[in-house]
Amino acid sequence: MNEKEPRFISLVSDTTFKYLWKNERTRKWFNEIIMDKIGIDLSNFELVDNESNSGSSIKDQRNDIALSDLNNEIVIVEMNSTYSEGEERKYRYYLYRRAGNNYLKGKEYTDRKHTLLIAFNNYLRPNMPDEKIIYSWFGDHDHNINYKDIEMYEIFLPKYYDLCYHESNKIDKRLCMFGAKSYDEMKKTTSNKDDLYIVEELIRLGKMDEFIDEYDYEIVRQKLINTYKIEGLAQGKEEGLAIGKEEGLKLGRAEGEKSKQIEIAKKMLDDYVDIERISKYSGLSIEEINDLK
């Protein structure tokens, strides 16, 4: 009996991302990327809630990964496959909300505890297309006040895809794997044993019906969201055209009525009718009638 052919599983999938963070060896693989690119060691952090970070079920759409250490510091790790202002607002909002929980602790709060968000973005930000990594700090920029207990790093994955077959370090080659479209492409990118272990793990997941169900659910959900956006935009345009047509008719009727009023007023002026009487019958103001003289 032939062995089941594995589905290709992408690293930029939320479902894949969450699953790999539950495995100690594959989590270490991600941690090495973060340590190299951002300089933060997450080896002592653990998933805050394994149940709420287990897959792509409806209850699990809040964030990708939430980690905490013994000092109760929080690190949120996000995988974002496509850019939208809504998605950007969503993960920033979650960062603010997590950080806000610390402020509610009153006297127990210390500025040593902070909340960090790390976003792996499979897109380039429209207004900053050349950036590989962006660090955002929060505070009052006008007065140079920095709230050191809340910060965010964004890694823009496509900036590393062109480095795959050029001279690059181990981590840059690792980031190239996120843009791969096949397992063979991943294997051509690197010969590192930890990277190849990731490929083998993806192949294993590609044969698991239960995982594929979750993986496909995410793909369908994203396509539905995109469809709703496109249909919503099209509907908005149609409604806008309809509204524009109606407004145009209203404007035309108003301009026609105005022309009729002016015509009546001019005829009455020619007959030397009193201005107040002209205003009464034409509907024009006295100022408008004087302008016609």
Side-chain angles (χ1 to χ4, degrees):
M1 185 174 179
N2 293 331
E3 186 179 358
K4 182 178 180 179
E5 187 71 20
R7 280 272 303 278
F8 175 69
I9 303 299
S10 172
L11 279 170
V12 296
S13 156
D14 282 350
T15 305
T16 310
F17 198 60
K18 293 172 186 180
Y19 192 95
L20 294 177
W21 272 88
K22 295 193 298 177
N23 178 308
E24 184 176 348
R25 182 171 177 180
T26 50
R27 188 189 309 174
K28 180 182 177 183
W29 187 83
F30 283 104
N31 185 46
E32 288 178 356
I33 295 174
I34 292 169
M35 186 67 184
D36 181 88
K37 295 301 177 185
I38 298 175
I40 295 173
D41 186 2
L42 298 180
S43 58
N44 292 324
F45 283 71
E46 296 183 355
L47 287 171
V48 174
D49 184 353
N50 287 338
E51 180 63 26
S52 67
N53 290 279
S54 57
S56 59
S57 61
I58 294 173
K59 66 181 179 179
D60 193 24
Q61 297 303 325
R62 298 167 303 161
N63 63 295
D64 284 350
I65 305 296
L67 308 168
S68 181
D69 68 356
L70 295 176
N71 294 321
N72 201 33
E73 296 192 6
I74 296 292
V75 175
I76 304 163
V77 188
E78 281 277 342
M79 170 57 71
N80 302 303
S81 58
T82 56
Y83 174 79
S84 75
E85 291 183 0
E87 286 297 307
E88 193 172 75
R89 283 196 297 270
K90 183 197 79 170
Y91 64 75
R92 284 176 179 264
Y93 168 76
Y94 196 77
L95 172 62
Y96 304 149
R97 197 172 125 207
R98 278 285 189 175
N101 289 339
N102 278 335
Y103 298 128
L104 297 176
K105 296 177 182 178
K107 294 180 179 179
E108 297 179 5
Y109 174 77
T110 68
D111 59 6
R112 291 192 303 274
K113 297 176 181 178
H114 72 283
T115 307
L116 169 69
L117 187 145
I118 301 170
F120 286 76
N121 296 330
N122 192 37
Y123 58 78
L124 300 178
R125 186 179 285 180
N127 59 336
M128 297 181 180
D130 296 325
E131 299 296 329
K132 288 184 179 179
I133 298 176
I134 293 178
Y135 168 71
S136 298
W137 62 273
F138 299 85
D140 187 336
H141 291 252
D142 292 336
H143 297 89
N144 200 30
I145 298 173
N146 184 359
Y147 302 142
K148 296 181 180 179
D149 50 355
I150 178 172
E151 54 187 343
M152 181 172 72
Y153 289 89
E154 296 173 276
I155 301 173
F156 292 91
L157 298 172
K159 295 302 295 185
Y160 294 91
Y161 296 163
D162 292 337
L163 303 176
C164 294
Y165 303 107
H166 298 81
E167 289 187 12
S168 55
N169 62 36
K170 179 181 77 172
I171 299 302
D172 285 354
K173 288 184 178 180
R174 187 169 292 184
L175 289 169
C176 288
M177 294 171 63
F178 286 83
K181 303 300 182 183
S182 69
Y183 297 127
D184 287 340
E185 188 178 344
M186 286 184 174
K187 291 176 180 178
K188 288 178 182 177
T189 301
T190 177
S191 60
N192 179 274
K193 64 177 183 179
D194 293 326
D195 297 345
L196 295 177
Y197 176 80
I198 289 289
V199 179
E200 293 304 316
E201 185 68 5
L202 294 177
I203 292 173
R204 187 181 70 82
L205 293 174
K207 297 177 182 179
M208 292 174 52
D209 291 337
E210 184 178 355
F211 180 86
I212 291 296
D213 287 343
E214 294 288 343
Y215 185 83
D216 286 344
Y217 169 83
E218 178 193 338
I219 294 173
V220 171
R221 177 178 174 273
Q222 188 59 51
K223 286 184 177 180
L224 285 173
I225 290 173
N226 292 338
T227 300
Y228 293 151
K229 287 178 182 177
I230 294 170
E231 289 180 350
L233 179 61
Q235 182 179 351
K237 287 182 177 179
E238 289 178 5
E239 291 176 353
L241 289 172
I243 292 171
K245 183 178 180 181
E246 182 62 27
E247 290 299 322
L249 290 172
K250 288 180 181 179
L251 181 60
R253 285 194 292 267
E255 289 179 349
E257 184 66 27
K258 193 74 170 180
S259 296
K260 185 178 179 180
Q261 290 173 317
I262 291 172
E263 183 181 351
I264 292 171
K266 284 182 176 180
K267 287 181 178 180
M268 294 179 78
L269 282 170
D270 290 340
D271 292 337
Y272 301 102
V273 178
D274 181 79
I275 289 181
E276 290 185 357
R277 188 177 293 273
I278 296 174
S279 178
K280 178 181 178 180
Y281 289 107
S282 70
L284 297 178
S285 67
I286 291 175
E287 291 78 8
E288 287 174 317
I289 296 169
N290 283 326
D291 289 340
L292 296 175
K293 290 181 178 180

